[in-house]
Amino acid sequence: MDLAPVIETLQATLVPQTRKQAEEKLAQFCKTSGFIPCLIQIILNEQCDMGARQAGAIYLKNHVNTYWSDVNDLHATTDLDIIALANAVNVDVTKTNGDKSQKPSLISDTDKDYLRNILIDAILRIKDPLRCQLITIAGTLIKCDFPSKWPQFINQIHTCLSTDNIETWNSILLVFYILVQYYEYKKVEDRGPIDDVMLVILPILHQRFMQLFAHNDSDQSAMIQKLILKIFHAYTQ
């Protein structure tokens, strides 16, 4: 997919007079396979206009949030207590409420695979405010795809924590914290995936915490130590 027209359209969304037309054009672009790789290339391109990069990151975040799931079921529930109560009053809450709750995905499987493979690396390569948009996207993928459709995620986390780059630790821990928060209040029987992950990740988190505590008194070190403690608290409470 050609980057130039997408960059031009993203820039046009920043101008009130051309915003509506540009948004309509992006809505057509997003139906094309290769749109997500195109946006990622723009976001990562330091030679590209920062306004276009920010607009691309925000558009990608909203696009993924809306269309990543094949079907967004806003009304169904799998909570057994709720289902039992509903059955007692002859209300069916296990099925979708008509067609209005279903949104067919506009994102091709190829684009999904691309984003799962590139997202962590992309987060490590950029700074805020672009980074925070991609971290939010990672949260959507965690909720929709982990662990079955994103099995490489934990290997990516472990690899990043195994480096000696403190900047990498900070970014990757922000992503990992989202995963832990997602499981924070789940029932014991639903916490299997995070328990399996922590068997691998907790030892290296402890190692990094003690390393920073003993040998690095910088502000960044303090922030990372605090983040590790927040992760541990969210997991154990």
Side-chain angles (χ1 to χ4, degrees):
M1 190 172 184
D2 190 4
L3 298 185
V6 179
I7 294 173
E8 182 180 349
T9 305
L10 289 170
Q11 290 172 325
T13 63
L14 305 175
V15 181
Q17 294 82 356
T18 59
R19 179 178 301 151
K20 183 177 180 180
Q21 183 179 2
E23 289 175 347
E24 292 173 352
K25 197 170 182 180
L26 284 173
Q28 295 302 313
F29 284 150
C30 75
K31 298 176 183 178
T32 304
S33 181
F35 179 65
I36 285 180
C38 179
L39 286 181
I40 289 291
Q41 290 178 59
I42 293 170
I43 293 166
L44 296 181
N45 187 351
E46 295 182 356
Q47 305 303 316
C48 189
D49 173 68
M50 178 54 77
R53 295 173 70 193
Q54 290 181 332
I58 293 170
Y59 193 90
L60 178 60
K61 177 191 68 176
N62 294 336
H63 182 62
V64 168
N65 184 59
T66 303
Y67 296 112
W68 192 262
S69 295
D70 292 331
V71 175
N72 291 326
D73 183 0
L74 303 179
H75 302 283
T77 180
T78 57
D79 189 298
L80 296 180
D81 293 333
I82 295 176
I83 292 173
L85 179 61
N87 288 339
V89 293
N90 296 318
V91 175
D92 186 0
V93 294
T94 63
K95 299 179 181 179
T96 58
N97 187 11
D99 294 334
K100 293 182 179 180
S101 63
Q102 298 187 2
K103 298 179 182 178
S105 176
L106 292 180
I107 305 175
S108 69
D109 290 340
T110 301
D111 279 16
K112 287 184 176 183
D113 288 340
Y114 173 87
L115 189 58
R116 293 186 193 105
N117 289 326
I118 197 68
L119 183 58
I120 297 300
D121 181 62
I123 289 171
L124 298 179
R125 290 171 56 184
I126 57 178
K127 304 293 185 182
D128 287 336
L130 297 173
R131 183 181 66 169
C132 66
Q133 304 297 336
L134 296 195
I135 289 175
T136 301
I137 292 171
T140 300
L141 268 62
I142 286 169
K143 293 173 184 176
C144 295
D145 290 359
F146 183 81
S148 60
K149 296 181 181 179
W150 200 9
Q152 68 269 40
F153 174 66
I154 295 306
N155 286 334
Q156 293 169 337
I157 297 291
H158 190 273
T159 298
C160 291
L161 290 174
S162 298
T163 70
D164 292 325
N165 189 326
I166 192 171
E167 291 282 353
T168 296
W169 300 349
N170 184 53
S171 294
I172 208 64
L173 287 173
L174 289 171
V175 177
F176 188 66
Y177 186 38
I178 295 176
L179 174 66
V180 178
Q181 285 182 306
Y182 177 65
Y183 284 94
E184 184 174 2
Y185 297 109
K186 286 188 176 293
K187 297 178 180 179
V188 173
E189 57 267 27
D190 296 327
R191 289 172 56 88
I194 193 63
D195 291 338
D196 293 341
V197 166
M198 281 302 191
L199 287 174
V200 177
I201 300 298
L202 266 181
I204 196 168
L205 287 181
H206 177 261
Q207 178 184 346
R208 292 309 180 206
F209 181 88
M210 297 307 299
Q211 178 182 347
L212 293 172
F213 182 77
H215 303 293
N216 191 327
D217 60 357
S218 67
D219 290 343
Q220 186 178 37
S221 171
M223 289 177 60
I224 294 175
Q225 291 176 60
K226 181 179 179 180
L227 184 53
I228 292 174
L229 291 175
K230 289 171 70 175
I231 289 170
F232 184 74
H233 178 264
Y235 174 62
T236 57
Q237 73 164 357

